[in-house]
Amino acid sequence: MTETLHAQAVQNRLLQWFDVHARTLPFRGVRDPYAIWVSEIMLQQTQVATVVPYYQRFMKRFPTVRTLAAAPLDVVLKLWQGLGYYSRARHLHKAAHMIVSQNDGAFPDTPEALMALPGIGRYTAGAIASIAFDRRVPVLDGNVMRVLARLYRCQDNPKTTAGQRRFWHLAETLVPKHRCGDFNQALMELGATVCTPKTPDCAHCPLQSLCQAYAHQEQDTLPRMPKAAATPHYTVAVGLVFKEGKLLIDKRKDNTMLGGLWELPGGKKQKHETLKQAMAREIAEETGLTVTVGKRLCIVRHAYSHFRITIHAYRCDWVSGTAKPLQSAAVKWVLPKDLKKYAFPAATIKIFDRLGLGSEYPFNL
Ligand code: SF4
């Protein structure tokens, strides 16, 4: 079978399968580049089921690129709260500004112009260009890469530059002349629902008779992923610092992880110190305040993509000093009942939930 014939067979079978089996999703069948962009950014490293309610809320609040550009970043981050990877929200907001100010609100329609926007890489540019504008360009995300590795029995390590180049090339050779967006979505859908990382459902796969990994029964060992490095773990102390009934929160700098979100002051415990010593030191370094460190209120564990933390949250009381943003973008004293107005990272929300803070809950420590 020649490569062209093989590609045609893959295209035909996948498109027929997609027409029947595609899941109904709020961003499916949409051609609005703005809506596709929002959904694609949300779907990065996040499950579809998690994304759907966020997408619906986001589109209701910001139905157009102009409404997004006009909103304060704090409001965008608040709506993103819980979805993680907050740089995505910051980039969306910044790119919306650029589209409105530089392009009068018109969405770029080529991969090159799309990739000039913050937060849009080759994958997202390919998805928007093919789905919204029917451009004949490939997409390559984790799902597509897995399908291609198995279909072609490709032994390359997808984490290497050479592996990336090879998989992009394979994806490129498969994109059909027509229905490019549907085909790209079909590849992603197959990877998400049939050709899954563990126990792929080969019995119901439209590509089974074309699949080299299936022919050699290697579907469980492909793609050849490198062994994951051990995840570092850190012990962290954070303080619920009170002064006259108000609680101190600080805002992370924009250019840091979780930038733009609010959190409780605190940080990593150093080897030579106790948790309470770490607590007092971190608050002094971050805010300039002197506090008394009281009882430990709770312990919360949280995993990020590259490290894990165990957070010890302490009740602290202001003794002296004026709070200053020495290591953050801003500091603020807020009433516990007002915490819900601010966007916090998931780990901080866990602490608030454990203590009955941060929403309509009564405050009682
Ligand atoms: Fe994946 Fe199995 Fe289909 Fe091959 S036959 S593409 S391994 S689901």
Side-chain angles (χ1 to χ4, degrees):
M1 188 182 289
T2 67
E3 206 166 84
T4 312
L5 278 178
H6 182 272
Q8 277 177 8
V10 171
Q11 292 158 3
N12 293 339
R13 289 183 198 188
L14 256 187
L15 283 168
Q16 280 169 20
W17 172 84
F18 187 66
D19 288 342
V20 177
H21 296 282
R23 289 169 294 178
T24 304
L25 298 169
F27 33 81
R28 227 354 91 75
V30 169
R31 299 295 296 263
D32 171 11
Y34 169 70
I36 294 164
W37 175 47
V38 171
S39 66
E40 288 296 339
I41 297 293
M42 285 187 170
L43 285 164
Q44 287 169 10
Q45 288 138 325
T46 313
Q47 300 285 327
V48 168
T50 308
V51 164
V52 167
Y54 277 92
Y55 171 81
Q56 289 171 322
R57 275 198 299 272
F58 199 92
M59 292 304 290
K60 196 173 173 194
R61 177 69 178 77
F62 309 121
T64 63
V65 70
R66 286 185 190 280
T67 51
L68 176 58
L73 177 59
D74 280 345
V75 176
V76 179
L77 288 172
K78 182 66 190 168
L79 220 58
W80 203 271
Q81 182 177 284
L83 204 51
Y85 301 98
Y86 292 87
S87 59
R88 296 182 296 175
R90 290 197 305 277
H91 286 147
L92 264 180
H93 189 245
K94 192 170 175 191
H97 265 277
M98 289 170 69
I99 292 168
V100 169
S101 61
Q102 296 171 10
N103 224 16
D104 198 25
F107 227 88
D109 64 355
T110 64
E112 297 74 25
L114 286 161
M115 283 169 71
L117 294 169
I120 298 191
R122 190 173 174 186
Y123 162 76
T124 310
I128 299 170
S130 64
I131 300 169
F133 302 111
D134 217 26
R135 297 257 176 193
R136 194 179 179 188
V137 286
V139 293
L140 183 71
D141 66 353
N143 286 326
V144 174
M145 192 267 301
R146 187 169 56 256
V147 173
L148 296 178
R150 290 169 176 170
L151 183 62
Y152 290 99
R153 203 179 164 216
C154 179
Q155 308 292 331
D156 292 55
N157 175 350
K159 298 281 184 194
T160 62
T161 310
Q164 280 288 309
R165 207 178 298 129
R166 172 108 173 96
F167 283 110
W168 273 107
H169 173 71
L170 290 174
E172 210 158 15
T173 57
L174 279 180
V175 189
K177 282 193 183 125
H178 306 291
R179 298 190 67 191
C180 321
D182 284 349
F183 177 78
N184 283 339
Q185 290 182 84
L187 259 183
M188 293 189 265
E189 187 78 345
L190 190 81
T193 62
V194 176
C195 194
T196 47
K198 287 185 184 139
T199 58
D201 188 6
C202 301
H204 296 100
C205 177
L207 304 183
Q208 192 203 82
S209 65
L210 302 167
C211 178
Q212 292 300 302
Y214 181 77
H216 292 83
Q217 286 300 292
E218 285 182 7
Q219 57 271 49
D220 292 332
T221 56
L222 289 169
R224 298 253 185 257
M225 298 300 276
K227 266 198 177 155
T231 316
H233 171 267
Y234 305 109
T235 300
V236 169
V238 301
L240 287 100
V241 183
F242 285 97
K243 182 187 176 191
E244 294 162 5
K246 288 187 173 173
L247 182 64
L248 185 67
I249 57 174
D250 58 19
K251 190 181 197 181
R252 294 182 64 88
K253 287 183 180 168
D254 272 355
N255 57 355
T256 63
M257 181 183 160
L258 305 171
L261 271 69
W262 293 83
E263 64 179 5
L264 297 167
K268 284 180 208 162
K269 175 181 119 45
Q270 293 176 359
K271 266 188 188 156
H272 63 273
E273 60 189 0
T274 65
L275 277 161
K276 284 193 168 188
Q277 286 168 340
M279 186 74 279
R281 174 185 56 76
E282 283 287 344
I283 288 171
E285 285 175 3
E286 270 186 37
T287 68
L289 293 185
T290 303
V291 299
T292 53
V293 181
K295 67 172 180 176
R296 183 165 55 193
L297 300 169
C298 67
I299 300 174
V300 158
R301 290 176 180 79
H302 191 72
Y304 292 97
S305 54
H306 296 97
F307 62 94
R308 294 175 297 115
I309 53 174
T310 301
I311 308 173
H312 301 256
Y314 284 90
R315 160 93 196 207
C316 300
D317 287 283
W318 174 85
V319 174
S320 65
T322 302
K324 296 185 198 80
L326 300 179
Q327 295 177 354
S328 58
V331 291
K332 211 165 197 176
W333 292 101
V334 294
L335 290 167
K337 72 176 177 56
D338 290 334
L339 287 173
K340 59 180 178 291
K341 295 179 186 167
Y342 300 86
F344 292 100
T348 310
I349 299 281
K350 278 185 190 173
I351 295 170
F352 290 161
D353 285 349
R354 291 279 289 276
L355 301 177
L357 281 165
S359 61
E360 291 73 29
Y361 302 122
F363 160 60
N364 184 22
L365 288 180

